[in-house]
């Protein structure tokens, strides 16, 4: 944590390389063959590809971590704390990157070490991809996965990032919602015009935009665009989501009268699509004039689950708006996006991991078919075609991406046991899902 690997800060190349080198040394001690790979995207930081092949006929696990962190925000940490000085207070360990993602991948490596210490071998092959640019959108990661497809071949993807649903209960999630950001704009004329002289004669772009937004969802946020309404909320997904706690003691009170009325709160955030207006503007809100503005704009976002294809989102919206007379509303942007991913909770590897975690913890984990948020899981699930399982070792109030980031020591301690148990069980081989992808030896 002492290495300030802030990928968002220009000139951090030295620190990013230093973290990669530190991990390479640690992995070499664990018997991994390490390659530092130039990022396919010029100017983006290098990646580490580490492989520990015991026998190509054994099962292979692909894992992942990111060694870069968000901006340290040193001035904003509480008295006595600093982003790049690891500090223990009570049962918390403070430091930038503690939760996101350094302690998480370190726990997984320490668990490997623990298995090796007892068994002398893992009993499976392990491939680890470590990137240093997750916090700037993982540039080059997809291209690298394409280029290194053979070296990354595995039977399952298991990694750790993000928070548990509740700190005291192990959690597994198997994908993420996709995300698409775009603007809706109405531009009718240059400049604003006196609302006394022209009011009633000139169409109001803000009113047109507001009306257009009102046909995207109804008054309680239920999506009205037919193609945006998921058909992937299957029985097994509903069963996994039943009873999951979505309340966060330190978060805002939930609006239970918001969103799809027929769904539970957990289904609304993990099993359904949600539309949000992130920002909107017409005229000058800070200093309104008696004038009809010439343009209005809203920055919008759709979070979506499996079954909604990113390429189909905006054409569907275009048809929906046109059919209701909103041809003047332009749809702009929408290029960058994450696709949605999900693994059925009944999938063989999901069941295997569930059983292992339950056995070690002595209680069942929370199972999320996918996260509500978004991460580049489509690279592993889509490009590499793997069943993807994430086992997060942090919790929602960990202050990741904010001052005073920390992890909980009791949670880390339990996570170390859970992961050692999982690696042990995979190496043991009994009850493993049938069929090997094999690995490039
Ligand atoms: Zn992050």
């Amino acid at each position: 944590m002492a290495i300030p690997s802030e990928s968002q800060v220009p000139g951090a190349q030295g620190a990013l390389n230093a973290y990669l080198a530190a991990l390479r040394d640690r992995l070499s001690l664990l018997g991994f063959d390490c390659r530092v790979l130039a990022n396919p995207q010029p100017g983006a930081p290098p990646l580490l590809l580490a492989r520990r092949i015991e026998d190509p006929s054994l099962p292979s696990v692909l894992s992942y971590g990111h060694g870069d962190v968000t901006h340290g925000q040193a001035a904003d940490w509480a008295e006595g704390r600093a982003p790049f000085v690891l500090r223990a207070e009570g049962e918390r360990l403070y430091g930038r990157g503690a939760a996101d993602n350094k302690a998480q991948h370190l726990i997984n490596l320490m668990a490997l070490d623990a298995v090796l210490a007892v068994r002398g071998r893992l009993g499976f092959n392990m491939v680890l991809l470590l990137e240093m640019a997750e916090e700037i959108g993982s540039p080059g990661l997809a291209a690298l996965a394409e280029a290194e497809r053979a070296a990354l071949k595995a039977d399952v993807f298991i990694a750790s990032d993000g928070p548990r649903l509740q700190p005291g209960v192990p959690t597994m999630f198997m994908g993420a919602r996709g995300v698409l950001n775009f603007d809706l704009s109405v531009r009718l004329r240059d400049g604003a015009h006196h609302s006394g002289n022209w009011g009633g004669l000139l169409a109001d772009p803000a009113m047109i935009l507001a009306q257009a937004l009102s046909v995207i969802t109804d008054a309680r946020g239920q999506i009205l665009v037919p193609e945006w309404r998921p058909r992937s909320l299957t029985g097994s997904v509903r069963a996994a989501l039943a009873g999951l706690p979505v309340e966060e003691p330190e978060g805002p009170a939930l609006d239970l009268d918001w969103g799809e009325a027929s769904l539970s709160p957990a289904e609304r955030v993990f099993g359904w699509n949600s539309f949000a207006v992130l920002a909107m503007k017409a005229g000058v809100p800070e200093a309104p004039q008696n004038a009809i503005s010439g343009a209005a704009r809203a920055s919008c976002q759709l979070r979506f689950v499996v079954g909604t294809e990113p390429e189909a989102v905006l054409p569907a919206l275009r048809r929906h708006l046109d059919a209701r007379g909103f041809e003047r509303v332009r749809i702009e942007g929408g290029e960058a996006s994450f696709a949605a991913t999900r693994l059925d909770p009944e999938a063989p590897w999901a069941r295997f991991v569930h059983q292992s975690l339950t056995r070690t913890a002595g209680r069942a984990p929370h199972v999320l078919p996918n996260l509500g948020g978004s991460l580049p899981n489509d690279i592993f699930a889509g490009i590499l075609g793997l069943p993807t399982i994430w086992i997060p070792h942090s919790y929602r109030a960990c202050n990741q991406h904010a001052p005073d980031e920390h992890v909980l020591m009791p949670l880390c301690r339990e996570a170390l046991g859970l992961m050692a148990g999982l690696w042990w069980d995979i190496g043991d081989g009994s009850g493993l899902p049938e069929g090997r992808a094999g690995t490039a030896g």
Side-chain angles (χ1 to χ4, degrees):
M1 221 153 291
I3 300 174
S5 50
E6 303 162 280
S7 56
Q8 300 170 339
V9 175
Q13 286 88 345
L16 296 171
N17 291 339
Y19 191 83
L20 214 58
L23 262 284
R24 187 190 55 211
D25 292 348
R26 181 178 277 271
L27 286 160
S28 297
L29 288 174
L30 289 172
F32 282 81
D33 289 325
C34 297
R35 277 196 290 153
V36 173
L37 303 172
N39 197 303
Q41 182 147 318
L47 301 94
L48 182 65
L49 177 52
R51 303 176 76 232
R52 192 182 185 288
I53 307 301
E54 288 188 358
D55 179 343
S57 68
L58 290 171
S60 297
V61 176
L62 173 65
S63 194
Y64 159 88
H66 68 89
D68 63 316
V69 301
T70 55
H71 194 290
Q73 301 173 285
D76 300 320
W77 287 55
E79 186 72 30
R81 298 176 193 154
F84 300 110
V85 181
L86 183 64
R87 179 182 166 94
E89 285 180 33
E91 294 206 302
R92 295 177 171 196
L93 273 178
Y94 284 89
R96 169 60 82 233
D100 184 15
N101 166 261
K102 290 177 174 175
Q104 301 222 24
H105 57 256
L106 181 62
I107 284 169
N108 294 354
L109 295 181
M110 290 173 68
L112 277 185
D113 200 10
V115 171
L116 285 170
V118 175
R119 190 183 262 157
R121 60 187 193 93
L122 293 178
F124 61 93
N125 304 310
M126 184 88 182
V127 182
L128 176 71
L129 184 60
L130 188 90
E131 68 161 324
M132 299 302 298
E134 196 266 356
E135 302 293 1
I136 52 172
S138 300
L141 186 62
L144 185 119
E146 297 272 13
E148 295 288 342
R149 194 186 286 274
L152 296 169
K153 195 172 177 193
D155 297 290
V156 63
F157 174 92
I158 298 173
S160 299
D161 201 8
R164 290 180 171 186
L165 209 46
Q166 287 181 328
V169 184
T171 296
M172 50 190 284
F173 65 87
M174 283 97 77
R177 283 206 289 189
V179 61
L180 186 71
N181 288 35
F182 56 92
D183 282 359
L184 293 182
S185 75
V186 182
R187 286 197 296 274
L188 300 183
R189 59 192 80 84
D190 289 333
H193 290 78
H194 191 284
S195 57
N197 297 337
W198 299 97
L201 297 173
L202 294 183
D204 184 339
M207 289 303 298
I208 294 171
L209 180 58
Q211 297 289 326
L213 289 169
S214 80
V215 304
I216 296 176
T217 78
D218 67 9
R220 57 168 292 159
Q222 300 186 106
I223 288 171
L224 300 175
V225 182
E227 297 90 333
W228 289 12
R229 295 179 60 79
R231 272 168 286 178
S232 57
L233 189 53
T234 59
S236 61
V237 172
R238 292 191 101 137
L241 296 176
L244 277 187
V246 290
E247 303 270 359
E248 166 63 51
E250 297 182 42
L254 301 186
D255 293 313
L256 297 175
D257 58 357
W258 182 258
E260 197 67 24
S262 64
L263 304 183
S264 71
E267 289 167 349
R268 290 174 192 165
V269 63
F270 300 121
W272 204 250
N273 296 351
S274 58
F275 173 76
V277 178
L278 306 179
M280 58 194 294
K281 187 171 179 185
V284 184
E286 303 74 25
Q289 301 298 310
N290 292 318
I292 295 162
S293 49
R297 182 167 59 85
S299 298
C300 303
Q301 181 181 73
L302 186 72
R303 297 266 179 183
F304 54 91
V305 295
V306 156
T308 302
E309 299 304 328
E311 324 63 76
V313 166
L314 297 183
L317 177 62
R318 183 74 271 162
R319 288 192 296 275
H320 188 75
L321 292 175
D322 289 351
R324 285 153 188 79
F326 293 109
E327 292 89 349
R328 284 189 288 190
V329 177
R330 299 191 212 181
I331 303 172
E332 295 166 338
E335 299 86 18
S337 70
F338 280 134
T341 55
R342 172 188 287 166
L343 179 64
D344 191 291
E346 294 300 319
W349 272 103
R351 290 169 59 101
F352 180 87
V353 172
H354 187 275
Q355 284 163 8
S356 174
L357 297 182
T358 302
R359 192 156 52 235
T360 302
R363 58 202 192 287
H366 287 144
V367 178
L368 302 179
N370 54 264
L371 268 192
S374 303
L375 46 79
N377 193 52
D378 53 328
I379 291 170
F380 310 111
I383 294 174
L384 298 177
L386 295 175
T388 53
I389 298 170
W390 296 78
I391 303 165
H393 305 324
S394 185
Y395 77 123
R396 288 196 279 179
C398 67
N399 283 12
Q400 69 180 100
H401 295 201
D404 298 327
E405 179 178 350
H406 61 278
V407 283
L408 301 177
M409 282 190 258
L411 198 163
C412 290
R413 216 172 282 127
E414 184 188 43
L416 189 49
L418 291 170
M419 296 308 294
L422 179 57
W423 300 145
W424 183 273
D425 289 343
I426 294 173
D428 179 67
S430 55
L432 275 189
E434 296 293 318
R436 291 278 161 278
T439 188

